[in-house]
Amino acid sequence: MAFKTPERLSALRLTGAPAAMTIYLALTVLTFRFGPWPWPVQQPGYLYLYLTAAIALFFIGAIGGAFASLPWRSPIASHRETATIKVAILLMVLSVLILSEARTDSLLPPVSLQLSLANYNYDIFVARNFTRGWWTYFEYAFALLSPFFFLALTGAIQHWRQLWWPYRIAYIFACVTYLLIYTHIGVNRGLFQLSVLLPLTFGLCYVFSGLTSRRTIWILISSAVVGTALFLWIFVFFISFRDPASNVGHFTPLNIDAQRSGAIYAILPPALYPGYETVTRYLGVGYYGLSLALTETDYGLGWGLTNSLLVLRKAKVLLGDSWYFHTLLPVIEKKYDWSLWTTWHSAFTWFISDFGVSGSLIVVLMIGLLYGLVWRNLLMTGSVVALALFYLLNTMVFYFPANNQLLQSADTFFGFLVLFLIFVAGFFQLDLIRTSPSATTVFDQPPKDQF
């Protein structure tokens, strides 16, 4: 399942992924504005102006990065990539076993999919995040292995035809184990990563490479559709057990009810009301948190220490409560009872907490620029490094309406940081895994009638 990279890229291909993610972000704002939930926004004009500016700046940055002709060479030589992925797969298996021990108290996670226990296991998982025990060191070990995890997660599919069956079986085992871990603890992230983000990432790559068979494209589209449907079904199931009252048209923290009127409800079967209301609430609640942030002016900036829960917790330990309680999100929690730990604020709020309103827009512009640069070099070189980093950036952008997901946990934070530094090394022509003079930077492409 590989594609041969083109020597020249058209404007349509370069704008493909940036345009797709921009459209997605715009749709989330429209869902917030015209969905069933009557969010009590205090300054709607300011909120929508900010969101419009943020989405526009992301697109501008991404387009700028995609069209920037900066010389880049993958630090991992193309003829070394398959060997690198084989090692990464073995470390991926080790990492998920470590993660299972940390989160399920067992080397192998339970295989009985008791979704009804999602709330109980989720509470245990959250409680552990606020304490330190033996599991903490297992979480750190998983985080240290996370760059290999994400390299294997994406690179194994890319190099599938070059992998022997033992490596394929090991990869499938690792993915299934990862899914079972997240199912056990009642967190939907694992399912979303594998069933939605993975097909989406490859779908964007293969559709806009322009050199992929129709069969491959249809397989990717079908995988994305089936994966999304599966994710939504299990996601709604999870939420129904975590907060049953909020799954039947009521949102407990704000004491508001979904307004069951309009065109959507006219065509939607009543059995699908809970799913529709859960998804629209999921996409909108972070924007309400953002609206609270935009009304505040009296708070201390975090300057890089309040952009995620992971960093914020460490900074609180080092700098104390006096610094912590003056930053934006604790101020919002105290004033509006909008919990820092149990409700969402959108990634934009976390950026505002660090650098203020205008500074957050610059951060979004820079994220867009990085997204465009990674996208361009992925299309040009097909590098496993660029592919893994592109996957993580898609994770970040998809979760913009909810939180700064990419930097919220140690595994994605450290994985992103390491892969980002490796990617940057490519601009300096640094070879982390030596490139031979005759090595090329393109994938071998199978015949178009093969998958």
Side-chain angles (χ1 to χ4, degrees):
M1 194 173 176
F3 64 95
K4 184 178 176 65
T5 54
E7 294 181 0
R8 302 181 66 178
L9 295 172
S10 66
L12 176 62
R13 293 174 185 173
L14 288 172
T15 57
M21 300 309 287
T22 300
I23 292 171
Y24 159 75
L25 291 174
L27 289 175
T28 63
V29 176
L30 292 175
T31 299
F32 177 80
R33 173 62 181 84
F34 298 104
W37 297 96
W39 303 106
V41 177
Q42 297 182 18
Q43 300 180 26
Y46 188 19
L47 171 65
Y48 295 122
L49 177 63
Y50 175 89
L51 286 171
T52 301
I55 294 173
L57 286 172
F58 170 79
F59 181 70
I60 291 171
I63 292 300
F67 282 86
S69 299
L70 300 176
W72 186 84
R73 183 178 66 191
S74 176
I76 300 178
S78 61
H79 69 291
R80 304 279 189 183
E81 285 191 339
T82 300
T84 302
I85 294 304
K86 290 178 180 178
V87 173
I89 289 174
L90 298 179
L91 293 175
M92 180 186 186
V93 172
L94 175 62
S95 69
V96 295
L97 295 177
I98 291 173
L99 184 67
S100 178
E101 187 67 39
R103 299 187 181 181
T104 71
D105 294 333
S106 173
L107 193 62
L108 293 175
V111 295
S112 57
L113 301 179
Q114 301 181 48
L115 298 183
S116 58
L117 296 177
N119 186 48
Y120 174 77
N121 293 329
Y122 179 76
D123 288 342
I124 295 176
F125 169 67
V126 172
R128 281 189 167 185
N129 283 336
F130 290 97
T131 58
R132 177 179 292 272
W134 61 266
W135 55 82
T136 306
Y137 302 100
F138 281 77
E139 292 280 359
Y140 286 156
F142 176 70
L144 291 174
L145 292 172
S146 62
F148 298 101
F149 176 89
F150 292 113
L151 273 177
L153 182 65
T154 53
I157 297 176
Q158 188 183 42
H159 289 264
W160 192 258
R161 294 173 61 85
Q162 287 77 44
L163 295 176
W164 299 337
W165 275 108
Y167 291 101
R168 296 181 182 184
I169 294 172
Y171 175 78
I172 294 172
F173 168 80
C175 289
V176 172
T177 302
Y178 190 71
L179 282 175
L180 290 174
I181 292 169
Y182 275 93
T183 302
H184 175 76
I185 63 176
V187 176
N188 61 68
R189 196 191 88 175
L191 180 63
F192 183 76
Q193 285 179 310
L194 298 189
S195 65
V196 179
L197 276 176
L198 207 56
L200 168 77
T201 298
F202 278 94
L204 291 172
C205 293
Y206 285 91
V207 168
F208 291 105
S209 70
L211 297 171
T212 305
S213 67
R214 290 183 179 180
R215 181 189 176 194
T216 300
I217 293 175
W218 279 112
I219 289 175
L220 287 168
I221 293 174
S222 301
S223 300
V225 171
V226 173
T228 301
L230 178 64
F231 165 74
L232 291 176
W233 177 71
I234 295 182
F235 166 72
V236 172
F237 204 88
F238 275 161
I239 297 299
S240 68
F241 278 99
R242 283 196 213 163
D243 188 4
S246 288
N247 198 51
V248 290
H250 183 76
F251 183 48
T252 306
L254 294 177
N255 194 28
I256 58 176
D257 297 300
Q259 305 301 300
R260 294 182 172 178
S261 61
I264 298 296
Y265 283 101
I267 62 175
L268 198 67
L272 297 181
Y273 286 1
Y276 171 64
E277 291 161 2
T278 300
V279 171
T280 52
R281 187 179 76 241
Y282 188 89
L283 292 174
V285 66
Y287 287 147
Y288 174 74
L290 172 61
S291 73
L292 300 179
L294 292 174
T295 63
E296 291 302 310
T297 57
D298 186 16
Y299 58 89
L301 296 180
W303 299 112
L305 299 179
T306 60
N307 58 71
S308 79
L309 286 174
L310 175 68
V311 178
L312 183 61
R313 286 199 297 263
K314 303 305 180 184
K316 181 183 177 181
V317 172
L318 294 175
L319 300 177
D321 288 345
S322 60
W323 166 85
Y324 164 78
F325 285 119
H326 287 84
T327 56
L328 177 60
L329 275 78
V331 168
I332 292 176
E333 181 173 17
K334 181 178 180 180
K335 186 172 181 179
Y336 301 100
D337 195 28
W338 193 251
S339 174
L340 167 63
W341 308 105
T342 60
T343 54
W344 285 352
H345 301 73
S346 86
F348 304 112
T349 302
W350 292 93
F351 301 150
I352 293 173
S353 179
D354 260 354
F355 305 109
V357 174
S358 57
S360 70
L361 294 175
I362 296 175
V363 171
V364 173
L365 177 67
M366 294 174 64
I367 292 172
L369 178 63
L370 176 62
Y371 189 92
L373 284 171
V374 172
W375 171 242
R376 175 187 178 86
N377 287 298
L378 174 58
L379 290 181
M380 289 295 296
T381 69
S383 164
V384 292
V385 173
L387 178 60
L389 189 56
F390 181 62
Y391 170 82
L392 288 173
L393 286 171
N394 283 330
T395 303
M396 171 180 273
V397 177
F398 247 91
Y399 276 94
F400 267 0
N403 54 39
N404 190 11
Q405 181 68 38
L406 188 65
L407 305 183
Q408 296 290 55
S409 57
D411 58 317
T412 49
F413 181 96
F414 187 73
F416 172 76
L417 178 62
V418 171
L419 290 170
F420 169 74
L421 293 176
I422 294 175
F423 179 78
V424 170
F427 290 106
F428 298 95
Q429 307 294 301
L430 299 179
D431 293 336
L432 300 185
I433 299 182
R434 187 173 58 84
T435 306
S436 67
S438 60
T440 61
T441 58
V442 297
F443 289 97
D444 294 327
Q445 181 191 13
K448 288 185 177 292
D449 60 346
Q450 296 184 18
F451 175 71

